Amino acid sequence: MSSRILVAIVAGVTLVALGLQFSVTLARDGEFGLLVTIGDFLSFFTILSNIVVLLVSAATAIDRPKFLARPSAQAAAALYIFVVILVYHSILRSQWDPQGVVLIATTLLHYVVPILYLFWWVAFADKTHLTASMPVKWIAFPVAYFAVSLVRGAITGWYPYSFLDVTEIGYVIALRNSAMIAMLFLLAGYGLVYLGRWGTRNSRA
């Protein structure tokens, strides 16, 4: 299977997963209006990361827009979706028991899409142009997400994740958790950069 076909499949699966999850959110929150539904849908980092994967995968498959098909964008998407599967599997999975359509959507968003995209990235993505300065830029997105989630939570009293829930754990622990996960993003980002460099050296050898 070629790189372009596989990344197109990733885009298709991601689109289905996001559509399924949006239908679940709409069924739950539809009575409050479309804007509330969209707001709740976009409140989760998992959803935002899958949207990034969808945009980057689609752009890579058709080679436009160019800025989304660049190695830096592809690696950033790999970083975000890697942390999604890691945090969900190690922290969040045990906190609830999804059933039916919710289970299908959850499995697609947290496991199937991350595994497919990461496999494509490791096997096919151009990693020769990744630099040590990129991980610092990549973490701007999750840091901004944490900040917005905390501000929104202070206004609404609702937080998307238990490790951010100030009403349950307080600001000190919520900020500590945010800092720890931001550090995870940074370390994983450097791991992707050096994985790319290691693979490039081996291919040249």
Side-chain angles (χ1 to χ4, degrees):
M1 184 180 296
S2 71
S3 171
R4 184 159 294 187
I5 292 175
L6 180 56
V7 80
I9 291 173
V10 173
V13 172
T14 309
L15 182 61
V16 170
L18 288 167
L20 194 58
Q21 182 59 48
F22 185 77
S23 70
V24 169
T25 306
L26 185 61
R28 184 190 65 208
D29 299 342
E31 62 181 297
F32 302 109
L34 184 59
L35 289 179
V36 172
T37 300
I38 294 173
D40 287 348
F41 180 68
L42 297 176
S43 295
F44 294 90
F45 190 81
T46 294
I47 297 300
L48 298 176
S49 296
N50 274 267
I51 289 174
V52 171
V53 167
L54 172 61
L55 294 175
V56 170
S57 298
T60 300
I62 63 176
D63 201 28
R64 62 177 61 88
K66 293 289 187 180
F67 75 95
L68 285 175
R70 291 175 180 170
S72 58
Q74 294 167 348
L79 171 62
Y80 303 149
I81 209 66
F82 169 73
V83 175
V84 163
I85 189 174
L86 181 62
V87 172
Y88 180 80
H89 188 76
S90 61
I91 299 175
L92 301 174
R93 183 182 60 147
S94 62
Q95 297 180 3
W96 73 321
D97 184 26
Q99 302 291 329
V101 176
V102 178
L103 176 60
I104 296 172
T106 297
T107 302
L108 288 171
L109 292 168
H110 293 96
Y111 290 105
V112 177
V113 170
I115 289 170
L116 282 175
Y117 184 80
L118 289 169
F119 174 80
W120 172 82
W121 187 82
V122 170
F124 295 107
D126 179 9
K127 309 170 194 67
T128 57
H129 298 93
L130 302 182
T131 66
S133 65
M134 288 180 177
V136 177
K137 299 175 183 178
W138 294 337
I139 67 167
F141 174 46
V143 168
Y145 170 80
F146 292 144
V148 170
S149 296
L150 290 172
V151 171
R152 183 187 183 197
I155 296 171
T156 64
W158 178 82
Y159 297 84
Y161 296 108
S162 58
F163 54 80
L164 291 177
D165 193 343
V166 172
T167 59
E168 295 291 332
I169 61 178
Y171 275 104
V172 172
I173 296 178
L175 290 172
R176 182 201 67 185
N177 291 343
S178 299
M180 291 175 62
I181 296 176
M183 184 60 65
L184 173 62
F185 274 102
L186 188 62
L187 293 175
Y190 281 117
L192 292 181
V193 170
Y194 287 104
L195 175 65
R197 290 183 176 181
W198 176 78
T200 301
R201 285 197 300 268
N202 280 358
S203 64
R204 288 174 179 172

